[in-house]
């Protein structure tokens, strides 16, 4: 077993600390940010594998902290952060080495989120990629789920959806996470099936919709139109005939226009409940909410049923994208989905795009949008706003 990774950040700028911690957590790493190095001796446990240290701090500067780390006999790698000249950084690195400390890299401020992610990714233990724990090892009780709803322990992470031809970020998909008091950040597979089984999925759906629409107002726009927000909705919640009115009421409360919202429903869910949900879906479409059929290819929809669903988007399930280069039937599935979607006048989005080869294949087949780790992992609101800002700056420079 690799030792559990814990990252410490020492930066007097609280925003930077929070950004780094959020990015690390989105990669499944534990991270604690502090603004005052005096806390360091208490937090420096044997689990700490990396320290990100700002050199310029008012109370105790980075050089003093390096000396303290030397005295504590600290073994974790150290990343020096600074907006000052390269020479000062090099001198600080020399000093660190003379104190028997290990320098693991440096970040020159302002840094790009991609640089930070690359640096942190190198610290993901080899036997452990996010999400951190398999759900099968986690026993959550009904009481814990109810108090999580009550205490609002569920948070949304956002993943960009990119137009393949232009590179524009068109949407952000909201993906739920549970900030569990004992287990840390848990992925949806650990709680959505349980919430559905308990009959609590409606409460969860409204909580997430309220949070997502509230946060969508804060998507950084930099003078550009804010990307659309995509919300996942369980088909169980669509059985309620009042769903469209309640949903639009909520959008109105947060001043988000209906056309800026995409509702994603899984194909398998739609096939279970074709008639009762059709009424609700049609009314949502009539009110201009965008509809997406998620995980397409896994639910055995018939062409006839597909024609009846008033959707704007088909999302190719990531399993097909993952295997399309190795497996010809998956490749055919991807090609056919793009064709069917376009024949029905829908936009086609591929999810789970992890490399350039996959993106290039999708581009050549005329797929409209892509989403996946190639662009970004799902990130917390502050980090996704930073990601959007960096992307806009780079686009403007190009
Ligand atoms: P989904 O809607 O198909 O979401 C895409 C999943 O693929 C996400 O997993 C995302 O983290 C993952 N993913 C994205 N890009 C890549 C990639 O390049 N490679 C790989 N390997 N994976 C990638 P996540 O966040 O664990 O979500 C799992 C499922 O949970 C979602 O699948 C969705 O069906 C459900 N879910 C998430 N949030 C909500 C919610 O608020 N409400 C409901 N009802 N369901 C939700
Ligand atoms: Ca989805
Ligand atoms: Ca999907």
């Amino acid at each position: 077993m690799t030792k559990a990774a814990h990252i410490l950040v020492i930066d007097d700028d609280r925003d930077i600390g929070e950004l780094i911690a959020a990015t690390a957590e989105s990669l499944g790493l534990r991270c604690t940010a502090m603004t005052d190095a005096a806390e360091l001796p208490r937090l420096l446990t044997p689990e700490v594998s990396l320290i990100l240290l700002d050199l310029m701090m008012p109370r105790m500067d980075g050089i003093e902290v390096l000396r303290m780390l030397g005295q504590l006999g600290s073994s974790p790698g150290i990343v020096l952060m600074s907006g000052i000249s390269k020479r000062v950084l090099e001198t600080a690195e020399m000093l660190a080495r003379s104190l028997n400390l290990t320098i693991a890299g440096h970040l020159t401020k302002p840094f790009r989120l991609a640089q930070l992610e690359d640096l942190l990714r190198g610290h993901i233990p080899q036997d452990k990629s996010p999400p951190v724990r398999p759900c099968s090892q986690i026993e959550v009780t009904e009481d814990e789920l109810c108090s999580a709803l009550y205490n609002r322990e569920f948070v949304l992470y956002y993943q960009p959806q990119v137009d393949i031809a232009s590179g524009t970020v068109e949407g952000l998909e909201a993906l739920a996470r549970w900030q569990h008091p004992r287990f840390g950040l848990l992925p949806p597979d650990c709680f959505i099936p349980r919430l559905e089984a308990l009959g609590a999925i409606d409460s969860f759906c409204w909580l997430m919709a309220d949070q997502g629409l509230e946060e969508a107002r804060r998507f950084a726009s930099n003078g550009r139109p804010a990307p659309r927000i995509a919300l996942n909705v369980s088909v169980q919640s669509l059985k309620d005939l009042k769903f469209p009115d309640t949903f639009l009421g909520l959008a109105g409360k947060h001043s988000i226009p209906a056309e800026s919202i995409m509702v994603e429903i899984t194909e398998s869910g739609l096939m279970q409940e074709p008639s009762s949900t059709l009424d609700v879906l049609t009314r949502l479409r009539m009110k201009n909410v965008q509809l997406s059929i998620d995980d397409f290819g896994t639910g055995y929809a018939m062409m006839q049923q597909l024609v009846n669903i008033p959707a704007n988007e088909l999302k190719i399930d990531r399993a097909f994208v993952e295997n399309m280069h190795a497996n010809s039937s998956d490749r055919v599935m991807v090609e056919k989905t793009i064709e069917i979607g376009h024949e029905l006048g829908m936009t086609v989005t591929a999810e789970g795009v992890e490399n350039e080869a996959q993106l290039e294949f999708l581009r050549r087949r005329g797929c409209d949008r892509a989403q996946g780790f190639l662009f970004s992992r799902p990130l917390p609101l502050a980090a996704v706003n930073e990601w959007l800002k960096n992307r806009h700056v780079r686009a403007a420079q190009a």
Side-chain angles (χ1 to χ4, degrees), residues 104-361:
H106 58 253
L107 275 176
T108 311
K109 291 182 178 178
F111 50 79
R112 289 190 295 118
L113 205 57
Q115 279 174 288
L116 174 65
E117 279 182 345
D118 285 348
L119 195 144
L120 294 174
R121 217 167 263 141
H123 287 267
I124 299 174
Q126 291 304 304
D127 63 346
K128 183 170 159 237
S129 57
V132 190
R133 276 163 197 262
C135 296
S136 55
Q137 287 177 12
I138 287 176
E139 282 280 330
V140 291
T141 63
E142 190 176 333
D143 279 355
E144 279 179 309
L145 278 164
C146 292
S147 72
L149 286 169
Y150 185 77
N151 295 326
R152 296 182 171 248
E153 286 165 9
F154 297 105
V155 293
L156 287 172
Y157 274 42
Y158 295 93
Q159 189 177 37
Q161 303 175 319
V162 176
D163 179 89
I164 295 179
S166 67
T168 318
V169 181
E170 301 213 316
L172 292 172
E173 179 175 4
L175 293 155
R177 304 284 180 262
W178 180 3
Q179 195 70 64
H180 192 284
R182 281 189 296 132
F183 299 125
L185 203 66
L186 296 182
D189 293 351
C190 299
F191 55 88
I192 302 244
R194 292 288 316 275
L195 287 166
E196 285 179 342
L198 285 172
I201 197 73
D202 281 354
S203 315
F204 172 78
C205 169
W206 292 120
L207 206 62
M208 291 297 99
D210 190 38
Q211 187 176 328
L213 294 171
E214 200 268 320
E215 292 184 342
R217 275 195 311 193
R218 292 188 268 146
F219 290 160
S221 65
N222 284 334
R224 288 161 193 250
R228 200 185 36 236
I229 178 169
L231 296 167
N232 290 285
V233 173
S234 166
V235 77
Q236 278 191 28
S237 305
L238 297 178
K239 285 185 194 157
D240 175 8
L241 291 176
K242 290 198 289 302
F243 186 93
D245 296 318
T246 316
F247 191 79
L248 279 132
L250 209 53
K253 174 181 141 194
H254 295 296
S255 311
I256 304 288
E259 58 271 22
S260 302
I261 309 168
M262 178 78 85
V263 168
E264 297 193 5
I265 309 125
T266 61
E267 185 199 20
S268 52
L270 285 170
M271 291 310 111
Q272 282 162 28
E273 302 285 338
S275 54
S276 56
T277 49
L278 209 55
D279 173 310
V280 165
L281 292 178
T282 308
R283 283 175 51 235
L284 279 172
R285 268 305 293 128
M286 282 163 56
K287 290 171 196 290
N288 257 344
V289 174
Q290 310 283 295
L291 296 179
S292 172
I293 303 177
D294 202 355
D295 298 351
F296 186 75
T298 60
Y300 310 106
M302 298 290 138
M303 196 61 176
Q304 196 49 46
Q305 293 164 312
L306 210 56
V307 175
N308 285 333
I309 300 166
N312 309 76
E313 179 186 73
L314 267 190
K315 275 186 99 171
I316 309 173
D317 190 66
R318 71 169 193 263
F320 299 109
V321 176
E322 189 185 333
N323 296 323
M324 67 189 179
H325 277 96
N327 182 323
S328 60
S329 58
D330 286 343
R331 191 159 56 240
V332 171
M333 187 68 202
V334 170
E335 290 168 340
K336 289 293 163 210
T337 306
I338 297 171
E339 281 175 29
I340 293 172
H342 287 167
E343 266 169 39
L344 295 175
M346 294 190 233
T347 299
V348 181
T349 298
E351 65 179 14
V353 179
E354 295 188 356
N355 57 52
E356 287 290 347
Q358 291 167 335
L359 184 66
E360 190 46 38
F361 178 87

